Amino acid sequence: MIAIIGSDGFIGNYVKKWAEKLNIEHKGIYFSNNLKGDISFEEYLNSEEKKITTTLIITAGNSDHNLPRTDFLSTLEKDLRYLERLEKSKVSADVVFLSSAAVYYGCKGDVDENTAVQPLDYYGLSKLYAEHMVNFMCRKANTRLIIFRLTNAFGVNDKRKRLFDNILECLKEQRTFSLYGKGESYVNPLRVDKVSEIILKSALKINELVKENNTEIVNLCSLSPYKVVDIVKYISKKYGLKFRFTGQEDYIVEFNTTTKKLQKLLDILSVKISPLYDQIDELLEKALKGENI
């Protein structure tokens, strides 16, 4: 059985939908919203479901960039405590863990999975600590681990507004979108439904993807590099988005995550990724018509 920790989150809920679509035996484990899960995290720790879990997908705690920059210690508590409790509950399952490309903060230019990471950012540092914790858990249990370093998953997020949510709002209300600084950050986004498909199918084939008692790290992003300004200009030209440059960007992403390992993985999983602008068109056209996404 596959267990999905964080099924009440933006990405985790899409992973659960894929499990349902493919008729995979699974349990969605929620922290606060039982409408998007099957069992709470507290219940799972002492449940029969934990004992029969063969692969654990962990998508929790990935999206709040502001918290570590205002209260780093609280972030570590949030990101590490539930992992510590999992480890102490003696969970023994292979793990697919969703981390963040923010661990590369401070790097410039192309980075791959072998790049030494010493993040110059509290958010990236908190994600690196979480990677170390889940790696520690899997090594103790002698299980396999895949770590995905996600750059950006885009879609309509009902919990927290991000780049595309704000763009959609501006298009619907015919307002001007504010682009901070010059929009020079690499964003390299991937549709959230595609992100979740890759995560779930990797969990199903983890025995093929990772050697026993080993760890694989894969950058998860668009197959070509894109900066925020590239995307905004495309949407402006095709959909009439009005935008203006304003202020400055506080945390510029100067690194570009390479995709050599990702492309090999996609071949193994038989997953196809369409060009980014096609993904954007599909999202915007459905959303602007009021259709379900």
Side-chain angles (χ1 to χ4, degrees):
M1 185 191 79
I2 289 179
I4 305 161
I5 293 183
S7 66
D8 53 337
F10 176 49
I11 296 172
N13 190 242
Y14 274 90
V15 175
K16 189 175 191 309
K17 288 176 180 177
W18 265 106
E20 292 167 353
K21 181 178 180 179
L22 298 178
N23 294 315
I24 304 301
E25 182 184 9
H26 72 282
K27 285 290 179 182
I29 302 166
Y30 63 87
F31 287 97
S32 59
N33 188 346
N34 61 2
L35 297 178
K36 293 186 175 182
D38 304 306
I39 184 173
S40 73
F41 181 73
E42 298 295 331
E43 293 169 326
Y44 177 74
L45 291 177
N46 299 301
S47 68
E48 290 298 315
E49 281 85 353
K50 190 193 76 175
K51 297 177 183 177
I52 63 172
T53 298
T54 55
T55 305
L56 189 61
I57 295 173
I58 304 176
T59 64
N62 199 56
S63 63
D64 190 349
H65 291 65
N66 293 322
L67 179 58
R69 290 163 181 164
T70 56
D71 191 342
F72 181 62
L73 293 180
S74 292
T75 301
L76 288 184
E77 174 79 13
K78 176 183 176 183
D79 282 359
L80 301 183
R81 180 53 59 89
Y82 78 95
L83 293 174
E84 179 189 39
R85 295 184 67 194
L86 269 177
E87 186 271 320
K88 287 185 175 179
S89 74
K90 297 183 178 179
V91 65
S92 182
D94 294 327
V95 175
V96 177
F97 182 71
L98 184 61
S99 182
S100 170
V103 298
Y104 297 116
Y105 264 120
C107 296
K108 294 183 179 181
D110 291 347
V111 294
D112 64 20
E113 292 83 354
N114 294 317
T115 299
V117 288
Q118 295 178 315
L120 291 176
D121 173 78
Y122 279 139
Y123 177 71
L125 187 59
S126 69
K127 296 303 113 183
L128 184 57
Y129 273 118
E131 285 188 11
H132 285 316
M133 185 66 200
V134 75
N135 190 56
F136 167 76
M137 179 176 74
C138 289
R139 287 182 65 189
K140 283 191 70 175
N142 293 316
T143 56
R144 296 174 174 85
L145 169 63
I146 298 176
I147 296 174
F148 281 112
R149 289 176 174 167
L150 175 68
T151 304
N152 181 286
F154 73 93
V156 176
N157 189 345
D158 59 2
K159 293 185 69 175
R160 184 176 292 109
K161 286 184 180 181
R162 302 293 293 276
L163 173 65
F164 284 87
D165 301 277
N166 290 326
I167 286 174
L168 262 173
E169 193 172 85
C170 288
L171 284 172
K172 289 178 179 179
E173 299 177 5
Q174 296 186 331
R175 291 192 290 107
T176 299
F177 176 75
S178 294
L179 183 57
Y180 289 95
K182 296 181 180 180
E184 288 294 310
S185 280
Y186 284 104
V187 64
N188 298 356
L190 198 59
R191 278 284 298 271
V192 63
D193 54 334
K194 191 58 62 174
V195 168
S196 56
E197 180 186 4
I198 292 167
I199 290 171
L200 179 65
K201 290 183 176 179
S202 295
L204 294 174
K205 289 195 172 186
I206 194 167
N207 288 355
E208 300 175 36
L209 299 173
V210 185
K211 294 179 180 179
E212 190 175 1
N213 308 334
N214 213 332
T215 298
E216 289 290 340
I217 299 174
V218 181
N219 292 332
L220 190 52
C221 54
S222 59
L223 297 181
S224 298
Y226 292 90
K227 294 183 177 181
V228 176
V229 68
D230 300 328
I231 292 168
V232 170
K233 286 183 176 179
Y234 171 78
I235 296 173
S236 175
K237 183 176 180 180
K238 184 162 184 179
Y239 296 91
L241 175 70
K242 295 179 288 184
F243 73 94
R244 64 188 178 96
F245 295 102
T246 185
Q248 64 180 19
E249 189 175 1
D250 293 327
Y251 301 95
I252 298 175
V253 178
E254 297 181 279
F255 58 84
N256 169 50
T257 46
T258 60
T259 62
K260 187 175 181 180
K261 285 186 73 172
L262 175 60
Q263 295 193 57
K264 289 182 179 179
L265 175 68
L266 295 175
D267 289 340
I268 295 170
L269 300 180
S270 297
V271 172
K272 302 294 184 184
I273 293 181
S274 57
L276 176 61
Y277 290 150
D278 290 347
Q279 297 178 52
I280 291 173
D281 287 342
E282 184 181 4
L283 171 74
L284 293 183
E285 287 168 12
K286 285 185 177 180
L288 292 172
K289 291 178 183 176
E291 298 178 9
N292 291 329
I293 300 172

